[in-house]
Amino acid sequence: MKKILSIDGGGIKGVFPATILKIIEENILKENENIYEYFDIITGTSTGAIIALGLGLGISADKILELYEKMEMQYLKEIKVFQNVLNQ
């Protein structure tokens, strides 16, 4: 039976699948095993495809999550409503 990982899109909401994938890396994978070695097929749409590509290149879910967290903070800084909250 094949193991297929399909990751949904949603822009900055990529934080959610990246977090779950980080948990999988920490709790399911063997030491020094990459997530792309665990699944037979990794696919996604939109931001999910970007995550899938990163995983396929051997980038850890932890590093991908760091990227999304940085993007999230940048995104929030650009929204005027959140500027006062972030500057406190």
Side-chain angles (χ1 to χ4, degrees):
M1 183 159 80
K2 300 281 184 188
K3 292 179 272 187
I4 300 171
L5 173 62
S6 178
I7 308 167
D8 195 15
I12 196 63
K13 290 184 283 187
V15 166
F16 299 115
T19 300
I20 293 167
L21 291 166
K22 178 182 175 185
I23 293 168
I24 290 171
E25 284 181 342
E26 293 172 347
N27 296 296
I28 295 176
L29 299 182
K30 298 172 187 158
E31 191 172 330
N32 296 324
E33 183 180 23
N34 289 311
I35 206 157
Y36 70 84
E37 296 170 309
Y38 184 78
F39 291 98
D40 297 301
I41 298 170
I42 302 175
T43 187
T45 58
S46 188
T47 199
I50 294 169
I51 293 171
L53 180 62
L55 294 172
L57 291 171
I59 300 171
S60 71
D62 187 41
K63 292 290 183 195
I64 293 170
L65 179 58
E66 284 179 27
L67 172 68
Y68 275 91
E69 288 172 341
K70 287 178 188 175
M71 288 181 359
E72 180 180 37
M73 289 306 296
Q74 185 61 38
Y75 176 73
L76 291 176
K77 286 178 183 177
E78 292 175 8
I79 300 173
K80 283 189 172 190
V81 174
F82 293 105
Q83 285 179 353
N84 291 335
V85 174
L86 293 172
N87 291 327
Q88 292 179 4

